[in-house]
Amino acid sequence: MRAERIDLYRHFNLKRESGSGGYLDIYAPFEVAGIKPKLRPAMLVIAGGAYTFISQRESAPVAVKYVANGYCTFVLDYSVNTAYPVPLVEACMAVAYIRENASKYRVDKNLVAAIGFSAGGHLATMLANIYDEKEVFEKLGNKTQMAKLNAVVLSYPVVTMGQFAHEISRDIITGNNPDLYEKLSMEKRVTANSVPAFIWHTFEDNCVPVENSLMLAEAYRRANVPLSLHIFEKGWHGMSLCNEEVNDRTEDEVKLEYVGKWFELSLDWLKARGFSVKTMGI
């Protein structure tokens, strides 16, 4: 597996006006000599951290696991402690970069997905629903259309800025501006053009209430956009892969490792939507 780091602002010749993010870490499988090259689906990984930091438990370990299942993966290092639209512009740059460089990484440009966790789930949900906002177009112009995903996986996502909001995430992404609450409440931004979604959450989550996922799923149902929703009874916020790579193997963590089945479920859902490795030239 080869690793590479891209400065998205430099690539798109944009000024980094605020924040210190806007980088893309790439995990691309090596080609094997003597075997025809593979055309792979792409997965953009967007970790959580309440928009105040980027959780390492939800970034590289997740990327590596998708690589092990045939994906070319890209981890977004986005700006934190920075209000809208900066993180969304950076996420859109990431998807546009993937498509612009699809041949370099042998990625199928029609099979680009993102996975977001917690506040990163909010960013992924924005990417899946409002990637073409005017604030993005002002930066990327016609390349904005390259930022549309083909599917999104949302892990215990922050969704609403209303009653069940995660207040820290809300205050940072809105810049404490109540005028942005409705604009950035993603359950209010789902349309028929939204991207199909796989959503999972735990009923016991006492940090980002499960109502966030339930409201988003209801909005998807009203808009008649495909989704898969999984609510696990037990489990705390930020469980990530729920395996030995991201936890300390305490008795409680071992007991709840079954929640990690969400990963295989996401693979099955994506495969049913056409996300699979293809041999080139056949």
Side-chain angles (χ1 to χ4, degrees), residues 42-275:
M43 180 62 77
L44 175 65
V45 180
I46 309 177
Y51 283 120
T52 64
F53 71 100
I54 293 179
S55 169
Q56 297 304 302
R57 299 174 62 251
E58 297 164 346
S59 52
V62 176
V64 169
K65 189 152 186 179
Y66 275 106
V67 169
N69 284 275
Y71 285 72
C72 186
T73 60
F74 304 79
V75 177
L76 179 62
D77 181 358
Y78 58 94
S79 292
V80 296
N81 295 305
T82 305
Y84 174 91
V86 173
L88 177 58
V89 171
E90 293 172 351
C92 289
M93 285 196 289
V95 180
Y97 176 87
I98 293 168
R99 286 215 169 88
E100 276 191 342
N101 294 274
S103 59
K104 175 182 178 180
Y105 302 111
R106 299 209 186 275
V107 160
D108 187 333
K109 64 177 62 179
N110 297 311
L111 296 176
V112 180
I115 179 168
F117 297 81
S118 191
H122 182 261
L123 182 49
T125 307
M126 287 199 290
L127 189 56
N129 289 278
I130 60 171
Y131 71 95
D132 55 354
E133 291 287 272
K134 65 179 179 63
E135 293 91 344
V136 176
F137 189 83
E138 288 170 357
K139 297 292 186 181
L140 297 182
N142 292 332
K143 290 185 178 181
T144 301
Q145 291 306 311
M146 299 177 69
K148 185 172 184 179
L149 297 169
N150 300 107
V152 67
V153 177
L154 303 172
S155 304
Y156 39 88
V158 172
V159 172
T160 187
M161 303 289 112
Q163 180 182 358
F164 297 102
H166 181 252
E167 293 182 0
I168 297 174
S169 298
R170 180 195 65 196
D171 292 348
I172 292 175
I173 195 60
T174 64
N176 284 303
N177 181 0
D179 292 341
L180 285 177
Y181 286 7
E182 182 145 348
K183 181 183 179 73
L184 301 185
S185 286
M186 287 299 100
E187 80 278 11
K188 298 182 179 181
R189 303 303 306 275
V190 178
T191 70
N193 293 320
S194 294
V195 173
F198 176 101
I199 308 169
W200 75 276
H201 217 119
T202 60
F203 182 80
E204 290 184 337
D205 193 325
N206 63 0
C207 180
V208 176
V210 69
E211 281 84 357
N212 282 260
S213 285
L214 294 174
M215 287 190 294
L216 185 62
E218 183 181 4
Y220 262 75
R221 180 68 185 92
R222 287 197 305 268
N224 199 31
V225 178
L227 85 150
S228 181
L229 175 65
H230 301 268
I231 307 297
F232 295 90
E233 178 187 358
K234 300 292 184 180
W236 49 84
H237 187 73
M239 294 187 75
S240 183
L241 293 169
C242 314
N243 63 13
E244 64 278 2
E245 295 296 330
V246 297
N247 65 38
D248 295 322
R249 303 282 293 172
T250 65
E251 182 178 346
D252 285 343
E253 287 172 333
V254 171
K255 189 186 303 181
L256 292 176
E257 281 185 353
Y258 77 91
V259 179
K261 290 176 187 255
W262 73 262
F263 183 83
E264 285 71 27
L265 291 170
S266 79
L267 289 177
D268 290 344
W269 180 80
L270 288 162
K271 187 174 182 180
R273 303 201 65 80
F275 281 72

